[in-house]
């Protein structure tokens, strides 16, 4: 049973995040998923209790999307999309210190799959909206509150279908806010915040090697597994060079200013961000990571094919170039199949919405610097960009120094401080009032 003795009275945002974690919405990818329906029903009930009437779109059984428009004070202004996803990646319970779907409270933190990605933000969005509506307030402009399915599979059965089939949900919207930004890191003893203004492009590749089947005891140089292993090792060990974009150039400059260290070595500056260093380093270059292998069916049989999954994240605008590099690295003997491909995004670290986000953070944590960054992964902002909507990552969390927040994305023992959830709800509500 969950041990909640150290937090008998949970704030509303923590309670909602806990409840959502306890609804298993595991997404294995490739269409294999528990489904988001029960979590969506929970969200719908909460919104209806606020007097709202969300629309639902479930193009695939149990893969539920929902959206509701909240009228703003100035309806002549473009609308703002505030969106989250309700699915989570799988969790192997044996690897965890707690039941990943128990929503346990321990050491002042909420533990469970989704505590970081992204049922924490889902709860923050819901309660920020509730704070306004219960107080008889309206957001500064129309807010389109949306929850997608299937984000952890690239949005194939979620945001991609919603944008295609329900574009009217987003009529009049020009900007969107979602996950993976607005959280704090500690640099040289100074707490600073990262605001996400871009995302790397996505290439999920399948490498396939072919050879001659045969007996495992034989002399067999034409071995598909050997050929594949060499290609996988070559891709996995490739050291992609640092290549700065407008966003990462600005990030490096601000890190240099904060630390007093020269800007000539971006990796060295990234190392000064503590536990976030790996996350920051990944934004400075292409990355290519093998994530799966398939070959063979019996110990003494050499198969005629072998395949591997490769997760490649590329800087915006370099997709064609990187794919050509991958083909060169693996050689002509390896087939390279593009399983999923999605664009990179980058927008300016400026404008009225960015200024409003900076101001909201400053009111909550005065004087803390805010830096732009390019996210190494991806969000449903990619799908919304097809409607001309500029996306940002702003899930504001004030985190303790040394807390490895970024390492918990898709990690073991995922958890978030309870007071960070309260901070995020307050900042988001402030932003909705003022943006």
């Amino acid at each position: 049973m969950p041990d909640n003795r150290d937090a008998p009275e949970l704030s509303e945002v923590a309670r909602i995040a806990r409840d959502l974690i306890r609804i298993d919405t595991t997404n294995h990818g490739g269409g294999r998923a528990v489904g988001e329906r029960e979590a969506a029903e929970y969200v719908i009930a909460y919104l209806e209790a606020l007097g709202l009437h969300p629309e639902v779109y479930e193009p695939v059984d149990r893969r539920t999307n929902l959206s509701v428009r909240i009228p703003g004070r100035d309806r002549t202004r473009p609308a703002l999309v505030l969106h989250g996803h309700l699915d989570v990646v799988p969790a192997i319970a044996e690897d965890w210190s707690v039941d990943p779907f128990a929503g346990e409270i321990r050491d002042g933190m909420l533990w469970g799959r989704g505590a970081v990605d992204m049922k924490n933000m889902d709860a923050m969005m819901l309660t920020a909206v509730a704070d306004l509506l219960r107080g008889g307030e309206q957001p500064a402009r129309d807010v389109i509150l949306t929850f997608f399915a299937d984000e952890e599979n690239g949005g194939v059965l979620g945001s991609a279908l919603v944008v295609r089939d329900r574009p009217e949900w987003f009529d009049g919207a020009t900007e969107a806010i979602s996950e993976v930004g607005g959280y704090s890191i500690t640099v040289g003893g100074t707490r600073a915040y990262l605001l996400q203004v871009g995302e790397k492009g996505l290439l999920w590749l399948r490498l396939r090697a072919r050879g001659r089947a045969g007996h495992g005891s034989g002399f067999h140089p034409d071995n598909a597994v050997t050929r594949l292993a060499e290609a996988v090792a070559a891709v996995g060990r490739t050291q992609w060079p640092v290549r700065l974009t407008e966003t990462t150039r600005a990030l490096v400059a601000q890190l240099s200013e904060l630390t007093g260290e020269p800007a000539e070595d971006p990796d060295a500056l990234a190392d000064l961000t503590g536990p976030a260093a790996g996350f920051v380093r990944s934004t400075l270059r292409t990355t290519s990571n093998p994530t799966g292998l398939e070959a063979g069916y019996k110990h003494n049989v050499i198969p005629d094919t072998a395949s591997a999954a490769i997760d490649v994240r590329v800087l915006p605008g370099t997709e064609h170039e990187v794919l050509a590099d991958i083909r060169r690295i693996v050689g002509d003997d390896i087939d390279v199949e593009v399983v999923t491909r999605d664009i990179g995004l980058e927008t300016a670290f400026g404008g009225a919405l960015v200024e409003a986000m900076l101001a909201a953070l400053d009111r909550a944590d005065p004087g803390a610097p805010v830096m732009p960054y390019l996210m190494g992964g991806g969000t449903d902002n990619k799908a919304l960009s097809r409607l001309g909507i500029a996306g940002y990552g702003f899930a504001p969390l004030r985190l303790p120094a040394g807390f490895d927040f970024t390492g918990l994305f898709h990690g073991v023992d995922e958890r978030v401080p309870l007071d960070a959830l309260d901070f995020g709800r307050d900042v988001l509500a402030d932003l909705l009032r003022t943006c």
Side-chain angles (χ1 to χ4, degrees):
M1 294 291 292
D3 180 5
N4 293 332
R5 289 172 296 178
D6 64 338
E9 296 295 333
L10 289 180
S11 65
E12 185 179 30
V13 64
R15 177 179 58 78
I16 291 172
R18 179 204 63 189
D19 291 350
L20 288 173
I21 287 170
R22 290 177 174 177
I23 303 172
D24 184 355
T25 53
T26 297
N27 187 351
H28 295 274
R32 297 180 301 113
V34 172
E36 296 83 3
R37 184 183 291 168
E38 285 75 22
E41 289 171 347
Y42 179 100
V43 170
I44 290 166
Y46 184 87
L47 293 172
E48 288 179 340
L50 295 174
L52 300 172
H53 304 285
E55 295 184 43
V56 175
Y57 181 50
E58 191 177 277
V60 177
D61 186 46
R62 296 190 51 78
R63 312 311 303 274
T64 314
N65 307 271
L66 66 110
S67 186
V68 65
R69 185 179 292 253
I70 303 159
R73 296 191 304 272
D74 184 353
R75 304 206 70 186
T76 67
R77 296 179 57 202
L80 173 70
V81 182
L82 189 62
H83 65 96
H85 64 85
L86 293 171
D87 60 326
V88 296
V89 296
I92 300 174
E94 293 78 11
D95 295 340
W96 286 55
S97 302
V98 299
D99 179 344
F101 297 103
E104 184 168 337
I105 308 298
R106 180 185 293 185
D107 303 325
M109 297 192 184
L110 171 63
W111 296 59
R113 180 58 88 212
V116 167
D117 184 11
M118 67 170 290
K119 291 178 176 178
N120 60 338
M121 176 62 165
D122 293 335
M124 287 155 50
M125 293 190 304
L126 288 168
T127 51
V129 166
D131 284 352
L132 269 66
L133 297 183
R134 288 171 183 160
E137 299 180 82
Q138 289 178 281
R141 51 174 159 157
D142 281 12
V143 170
I144 302 166
L145 184 63
T146 304
F147 295 86
F148 290 116
D150 204 37
E151 193 273 348
E152 297 294 0
N153 184 47
V156 175
L157 302 179
S159 59
L161 296 183
V162 173
V163 164
R164 186 192 72 185
D165 299 336
R166 294 292 186 273
E168 66 276 7
W169 281 6
F170 309 105
D171 283 350
T174 56
E175 296 164 312
I177 291 173
S178 190
E179 58 178 329
V180 201
Y183 58 89
S184 70
I185 61 174
T186 302
V187 184
T190 298
R191 183 168 57 241
Y193 291 84
L194 294 174
L195 198 162
Q196 189 249 101
V197 296
E199 305 178 3
K200 291 169 75 176
L202 169 68
L203 288 172
W204 282 348
L205 306 180
R206 175 74 57 185
L207 305 186
R208 185 169 284 103
R210 305 183 189 279
R212 181 170 55 84
H215 199 289
S217 67
F219 174 72
H220 204 100
D222 188 16
N223 189 311
V225 176
T226 302
R227 189 169 292 135
L228 177 72
E230 291 168 345
V232 168
V235 170
R237 291 179 178 148
T238 295
Q239 298 295 309
W240 299 90
V242 169
R243 187 168 172 178
L244 299 182
T245 69
E246 182 178 348
T247 301
T248 53
R249 193 172 292 109
L251 172 62
V252 167
Q254 287 194 249
L255 287 173
S256 177
E257 182 178 342
L258 270 179
T259 62
E261 297 296 325
E264 286 71 29
D265 189 346
D267 279 330
L269 284 170
D271 287 342
L272 299 178
T273 63
F279 218 64
V280 175
R281 274 177 170 258
S282 73
T283 72
L284 306 175
R285 52 173 53 80
T286 291
T287 60
S288 54
N289 288 301
T291 56
L293 295 167
E294 292 184 34
Y297 54 91
K298 197 172 186 299
H299 211 111
N300 63 347
V301 177
I302 299 169
D304 60 359
T305 62
S307 67
I310 310 291
D311 188 340
V312 184
R313 306 298 174 114
V314 306
L315 300 174
T318 68
E319 292 88 348
H320 294 289
E321 176 185 336
V322 169
L323 185 55
D325 284 339
I326 294 285
R327 295 186 191 280
R328 174 183 53 77
I329 290 166
V330 302
D332 295 337
D333 289 342
I334 303 294
D335 295 330
V336 180
E337 175 192 357
V338 179
V339 178
T340 302
R341 181 174 186 162
D342 213 340
I343 56 173
L345 304 173
E346 194 168 25
T347 192
F349 184 58
L353 178 58
V354 169
E355 293 302 319
M357 290 189 277
L358 298 180
L361 277 174
D362 191 61
R363 285 188 289 270
D365 194 354
V370 183
M371 302 179 288
Y373 91 109
L374 180 74
M375 182 187 170
T379 73
D380 287 319
N381 279 331
K382 291 183 186 297
L384 291 173
S385 73
R386 296 180 174 88
L387 299 176
I389 298 172
Y392 301 86
F394 189 69
L397 297 168
R398 183 171 57 198
L399 301 168
F403 182 61
D404 187 10
F405 177 72
T406 59
L408 295 174
F409 280 88
H410 297 189
V412 172
D413 285 344
E414 192 177 341
R415 59 198 183 276
V416 64
L418 295 173
D419 58 3
L421 294 173
D422 295 327
F423 176 88
R425 175 205 62 216
D426 292 344
V427 173
L428 281 178
D430 185 17
L431 177 67
L432 297 181
R433 290 185 182 100
T434 57
C435 72

